[in-house]
């Protein structure tokens, strides 16, 4: 374990249901682990940290139940009604009550459809959420991706922000295969955390619950305009995850570095209320 007075790494465990979809029910279907770091403004060189590995269960929304079908309304027609007696005046038929309308089905969130290209999926998954926070798009950086690949190849779930010279931010995750990079970004790093960010417009928000929202702020950090990600298959499993995690280790590196203390107000802006996008 390494630490310095300049940086602390905390585990971002997304163990709660996504606050963006509060009306849905959830079941557990995959076990993943994610982690991010924050750094102190003005720090030079590598960013050292302490960490604690924990296993996080990511919930997946069940499909909305279909609305109950409307009961058919049986109308007795004139031919089905008994004829009136000749001694009695014919009564006007009673008005038929209109059938109650079925409730409108709940709108489903949009789903990002992967193209099959890993880099494109990673970039697009970031940018769809960045646009909701009034910041510019990120671009793919091959150098950051190569560094991410070296780190992911260690199959050791831990931050490494020194390989390749450092000076980049980082989000990591374990458990998802490469075709689910959009799911990692959208569901684990954004949707499950965005509503937990404590306060916009403050240079250094309350960091006491940083592990609950640190991935989100790195994803939408204004000054982070380059990303490079890699997902490594680990035949012997991902170490340092306390077990129960799928054999894949994902690393995304960001330049410029995000989650810098004293600069949150200049880089993390409130959402515009665009439609929820899932991975």
């Amino acid at each position: 374990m390494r630490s310095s007075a300049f940086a602390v790494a905390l585990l971002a465990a997304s163990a709660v249901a996504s606050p963006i979809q509060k009306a849905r029910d959830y079941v557990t279907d995959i076990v993943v682990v994610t982690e991010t770091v924050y750094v102190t403004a003005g720090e030079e060189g590598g960013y050292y940290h302490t960490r604690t590995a924990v296993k996080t269960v990511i919930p997946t929304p069940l499909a909305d139940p279909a609305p109950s079908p409307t009961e058919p309304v049986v109308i007795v027609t004139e031919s089905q009604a008994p004829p009136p007696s000749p001694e009695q005046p014919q009564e006007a038929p009673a008005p038929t009550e209109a059938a109650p309308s079925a409730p409108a089905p709940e709108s489903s969130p949009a789903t990002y459809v992967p193209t099959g290209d890993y880099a494109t999926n990673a970039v697009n998954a970031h940018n769809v959420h960045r646009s909701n926070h009034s910041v510019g798009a990120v671009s793919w950086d091959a150098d950051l991706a190569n560094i991410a690949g070296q780190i992911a190849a260690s199959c050791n779930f831990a931050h490494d922000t020194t390989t390749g010279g450092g000076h980049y931010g980082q989000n990591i995750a374990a458990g998802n295969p490469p075709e689910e990079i959009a799911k990692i970004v959208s569901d684990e790093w954004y949707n499950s955390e965005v509503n937990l960010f404590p306060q916009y417009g403050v240079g250094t928000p309350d960091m006491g619950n940083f592990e609950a929202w640190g991935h989100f702020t790195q994803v939408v950090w204004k000054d982070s305009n380059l990303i490079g990600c890699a997902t490594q298959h680990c035949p012997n499993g991902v170490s340092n995850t306390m077990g129960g995690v799928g054999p894949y280790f994902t690393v995304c590196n960001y330049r410029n570095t995000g989650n810098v203390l004293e600069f949150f107000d200049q880089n993390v802006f409130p959402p515009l209320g665009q439609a929820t996008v899932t991975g």
Side-chain angles (χ1 to χ4, degrees):
M1 299 279 182
R2 299 175 295 175
S3 62
S4 75
F6 301 106
V8 178
L10 297 173
L11 180 67
S14 308
V16 296
S18 168
I20 296 192
Q21 302 179 42
K22 292 180 180 177
R24 301 178 182 273
D25 296 324
Y26 289 81
V27 294
T28 298
D29 72 342
I30 188 168
V31 178
V32 299
V33 181
T34 57
E35 186 183 47
T36 190
V37 302
Y38 65 82
V39 300
T40 302
E43 181 176 358
E44 298 294 335
Y47 306 130
Y48 296 93
H49 62 278
T50 60
R51 65 178 300 281
T52 302
V54 295
K55 180 174 68 177
T56 302
V57 178
I58 296 299
T60 299
L62 291 172
D64 291 334
S68 301
T70 304
E71 292 294 328
V73 177
V74 179
I75 301 175
V76 179
T77 65
E78 185 175 335
S79 62
Q80 293 172 318
S85 170
E87 293 79 18
Q88 297 177 349
Q90 181 176 354
E91 296 181 358
T96 303
E97 294 185 2
S101 58
E106 180 184 343
S107 59
S108 299
T111 300
Y112 171 70
V113 179
T115 65
D117 179 82
Y118 183 90
T120 300
N121 291 338
V123 167
N124 289 348
H126 277 81
N127 288 339
V128 72
H129 302 300
R130 290 175 65 86
S131 68
N132 191 33
H133 291 264
S134 306
V135 298
V138 294
S139 300
W140 186 257
D141 185 89
D143 180 55
L144 287 176
N146 289 335
I147 295 171
Q150 296 175 46
I151 298 169
S154 71
C155 291
N156 179 46
F157 184 74
H159 276 287
D160 177 353
T161 53
T162 60
T163 294
H167 299 287
Y168 48 81
Q170 190 174 85
N171 279 346
I172 62 177
N176 300 86
E179 58 268 24
E180 294 183 358
I181 182 62
K183 177 181 178 65
I184 294 172
V185 176
S186 289
D187 296 344
E188 297 166 24
W189 291 348
Y190 182 86
N191 289 334
S192 65
E193 300 187 8
V194 57
N195 285 354
L196 301 178
F197 184 60
Q199 187 176 11
Y200 292 95
V202 176
T204 301
D206 182 0
M207 306 299 288
N209 200 31
F210 173 74
E211 69 277 7
W213 47 261
H215 298 103
F216 149 67
T217 49
Q218 176 59 90
V219 167
V220 302
W221 194 265
K222 178 183 177 181
D223 284 348
S224 296
N225 53 20
L226 296 174
I227 67 166
C229 306
T231 298
Q232 173 70 41
H233 178 247
C234 302
N236 297 321
V238 182
S239 62
N240 213 24
T241 58
M242 299 178 66
V245 176
Y248 297 94
F249 182 28
T250 295
V251 177
C252 277
N253 292 332
Y254 302 80
R255 186 177 288 134
N256 298 310
T257 304
N259 288 338
V260 181
L261 300 180
E262 302 179 17
F263 289 89
F264 279 81
D265 56 336
Q266 301 176 34
N267 288 277
V268 181
F269 308 120
L272 299 174
Q274 296 173 0
T276 302
V277 176
T278 62

